[in-house]
DNA sequence: GAGTGGTCTAGACCACCCG
DNA sequence: GGGTGGTCTAGACCACTCG
């Protein structure tokens, strides 16, 4: 089990402070040579470190040391910028696409509307310290938000809801699972196909209990940790 | 990108119903031959399917189709057996170890007690349909629970707390992150070192706000999804 | 243009599982 | 005891990044 030995040695090097957050590791060939092994085995060790969220891979750029994950509390109104700021992080949002579409079978189901209903479809990438960490897809019921597309989506959606429509999230159903990145999502996050990820799916309701939007968030798995408090309700509830 | 093609073909085969949940895939050598490739490339495809939680690997036994994940709501008092039952699953708990120990630096910090305080240390593995899916470590403040070790830990801890000590969880701080399995944990879950996992760390307080125990849960990542509802509180809170 | 990461080949040996 | 999965070797080619 050479790759485990290599993994442990790299962990020591990381923890000793030889590498700092966001720093690039030496090239795979150099590491393989240093550990007297082949690239295949060396990459096995790197993959293990990746699963432990100690390093991450940028497609064709190399391996880097993970910074601290962002702490995410599902109970809070999710304003990415503020959440990052409160944790001393530098956030940035890039708009990939914002358009009005007709609900497909899948999106109709998500928003609980008939097929072919008008909905908005917004795709964004969010960055922490210039690293893309999450790919966000929003599906929004168009009838509550006339002219929504006029607004600036590099700002928070929830702020726009409140400011222009006096609506805000009251209740959120969410689902968190692990998955992997591929295709367009992987590309936007500079990840290779197959990189481990967390998927957060949310369905949001306003003060009146009306479903207003859904979002799908694909997080690089090392960039996030869920942290929250629960006041427990009994099992029978 | 052969391995992506192979992955897609296997997904089709799975979705077509050619394989059913918990079924074993053909051996890696046979699959490699069928897809006209080498084992290395074939395994790349299998790893991708593993990250997507479509198949899982039992150490030295082979690859199997994932059953549905267990839905886990952090707001509920966590009684594994009942949770499983409610979802029509067959649950079983195996006790690995239950003993009294003196708090180490790490466990003292977790339980917010001085070092060398008496605490209980319980290690269990939980199964769904005979598959080990989560490795649970409990650290419990001993002074609230005289003679706790006399009880049956294949049953729920929370039931024992309530029945014998009239204590129950009121508030829980939890943290969910992704990691990978290794060592003893991997062994107990029949996983290979490096398998993707979710780690749930919880700190539990009773009705009087006293910290009573902590637990660390290492889940096979495909076996779990977090599903819950949040009533949102404002950002400023 | 040099070097890099992503992908792939064609083998090999071993410990272990299962029949 | 045969076949399996886990691990490893020693290469190779290509498209891409970066200086």
């Amino acid at each position: 089990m050479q790759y485990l030995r290599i993994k442990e040695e790299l962990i020591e090097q990381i923890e000793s402070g030889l590498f700092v957050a966001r720093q690039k590791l030496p090239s795979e060939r150099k590491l393989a040579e240093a550990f007297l092994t082949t690239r295949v085995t060396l990459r096995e060790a790197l993959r293990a470190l990746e699963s432990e969220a100690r390093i991450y891979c940028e497609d064709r750029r190399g391996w880097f040391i993970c910074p601290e994950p962002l702490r995410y509390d599902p109970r809070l109104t999710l304003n990415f910028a503020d959440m990052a700021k409160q944790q001393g992080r530098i956030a940035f949002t890039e708009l990939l696409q914002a358009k009005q579409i007709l609900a497909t079978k899948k999106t109709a189901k998500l928003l609980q509307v008939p097929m072919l209903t008008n909905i908005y479809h917004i795709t964004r990438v969010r960055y922490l310290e210039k690293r893309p960490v999450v790919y966000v897809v929003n599906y929004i019921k168009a009838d509550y938000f006339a002219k929504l597309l006029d607004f600036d989506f590099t700002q928070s959606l929830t702020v726009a809801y409140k400011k222009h429509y006096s609506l805000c999230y009251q209740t959120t159903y969410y689902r968190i699972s692990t998955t992997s990145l591929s295709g367009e999502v992987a590309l936007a996050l500079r990840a290779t196909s197959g990189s481990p990820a967390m998927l957060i799916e949310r369905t949001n309701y306003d003060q009146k209990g009306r479903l207003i939007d859904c979002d799908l968030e694909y997080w690089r798995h090392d960039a996030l940790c869920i942290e929250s408090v629960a006041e427990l309700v009994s099992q029978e509830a």
Side-chain angles (χ1 to χ4, degrees), chain A:
Chain A
M1 252 108 87
Q2 240 190 109
Y3 79 90
L4 288 180
R5 176 183 60 78
I6 297 172
K7 189 190 86 167
E8 293 307 323
E9 288 189 34
L10 284 170
I11 287 179
E12 275 179 35
Q13 293 186 12
I14 293 170
E15 292 187 343
S16 77
L18 185 59
F19 302 110
V20 302
R22 280 175 281 275
Q23 184 176 340
K24 187 175 179 306
L25 293 180
S27 80
E28 294 182 359
R29 285 173 177 83
K30 280 181 186 155
L31 286 172
E33 195 182 357
F35 286 110
L36 302 170
T37 185
T38 59
R39 269 180 74 206
V40 175
T41 300
L42 188 269
R43 282 171 66 88
E44 194 84 6
L46 295 176
R47 288 281 170 219
L49 290 168
E50 181 188 44
S51 338
E52 289 185 15
R54 292 179 182 275
I55 63 176
Y56 64 93
C57 187
E58 295 227 340
D59 193 54
R60 298 185 178 282
R61 278 183 197 84
W63 297 87
F64 301 82
I65 305 293
C66 289
E68 283 290 296
L70 192 70
R71 298 186 301 277
Y72 181 111
D73 187 337
R75 294 171 313 146
L76 301 179
T77 53
L78 300 167
N79 181 324
F80 180 76
D82 290 347
M83 184 166 68
K85 203 173 182 183
Q86 278 175 16
Q87 295 178 38
R89 309 295 290 260
I90 300 164
F92 168 71
T93 299
E94 177 191 11
L95 178 65
L96 296 185
Q97 192 176 72
K99 58 178 184 183
Q100 189 165 330
I101 60 169
L102 299 179
T104 59
K105 191 172 175 185
K106 181 189 138 200
T107 53
K109 192 180 171 192
L110 276 173
L111 288 177
Q112 300 173 24
V113 296
M115 273 178 66
L116 307 181
T117 306
N118 274 319
I119 61 177
Y120 297 120
H121 178 209
I122 300 174
T123 313
R124 296 181 290 181
V125 179
R126 297 186 188 280
Y127 294 74
L128 284 180
E129 291 94 28
K130 302 191 178 169
R131 176 190 176 207
V133 292
V134 55
Y135 183 95
V136 183
V137 181
N138 287 278
Y139 297 109
I140 306 168
K141 278 198 183 174
D143 48 354
Y144 297 152
F145 301 103
K147 299 190 178 172
L148 181 71
L149 296 182
D150 295 347
F151 300 117
D152 176 9
F153 293 117
T154 64
Q155 304 302 314
S156 158
L157 255 186
T158 55
V159 168
Y161 287 173
K162 189 154 212 168
K163 191 167 162 191
H164 303 289
Y165 306 92
S166 299
L167 282 180
C168 67
Y169 294 160
Q170 175 68 34
T171 307
T172 288
Y173 286 80
Y174 63 92
R175 187 171 191 281
I176 305 171
S177 53
T178 57
T179 181
S180 69
L181 303 173
S182 64
E184 196 186 338
V185 182
L187 200 64
L189 296 181
R190 293 186 208 143
T192 45
S193 211
S195 302
M198 287 186 90
L199 169 61
I200 304 183
E201 303 165 85
R202 306 197 310 135
T203 310
N204 301 304
Y205 295 80
D206 73 358
Q207 310 98 308
K208 297 176 183 167
R210 300 178 304 184
L211 198 171
I212 55 178
D213 71 6
C214 291
D215 59 81
L216 305 177
E217 306 179 4
Y218 295 89
W219 288 80
R220 300 234 5 178
H221 87 308
D222 60 274
L224 173 74
C225 88
I226 310 291
E227 217 173 89
S228 190
V229 187
E231 294 297 327
L232 299 178
V233 297
S234 92
Q235 191 74 17
E236 288 70 37

